Amino acid sequence: MNDKGGEDPTADFLAEVRPEETPWRTERPPGEEAPERAERPEKWGRAKAAGRAAAAAAPYVQAAALATWIVSGTADDSGDSGFGDMGSSGDA
């Protein structure tokens, strides 16, 4: 280690930048009532409702995507489309 008079520049730096302890993380003395819970802001109500709706619709969206993929695959495989072999020059 580097002994320069017992100073530790890293510890000094960390002590300067360390945030103060937040009040909800401190220990409450015995017998003291817990603080009331803060009300949730209303602006998140719509976002949560939209998230719940998207989560509820997700299986149907996945099923529709799978069905579309299957149908598009069978449409490509079905019969002759009339174009023949587009890569050949016809001189074979």
Side-chain angles (χ1 to χ4, degrees):
M1 290 209 89
N2 192 0
D3 275 337
K4 292 185 178 180
E7 293 181 12
D8 185 4
T10 305
D12 294 339
F13 171 75
L14 291 175
E16 289 175 13
V17 297
R18 184 171 292 127
E20 294 179 17
E21 194 164 350
T22 53
W24 58 85
R25 292 182 184 238
T26 57
E27 289 293 323
R28 198 170 48 242
E32 183 178 324
E33 292 291 321
E36 291 185 25
R37 296 190 76 176
E39 292 294 322
R40 295 183 179 176
E42 289 296 322
K43 66 179 180 180
W44 295 109
R46 285 181 148 175
K48 284 188 177 184
R52 283 192 297 270
Y60 302 108
V61 172
Q62 289 174 342
L66 178 63
T68 303
W69 178 69
I70 290 171
V71 169
S72 69
T74 57
D76 289 343
D77 293 340
S78 64
D80 185 21
S81 61
F83 291 107
D85 187 11
M86 299 289 281
S88 68
S89 61
D91 294 335

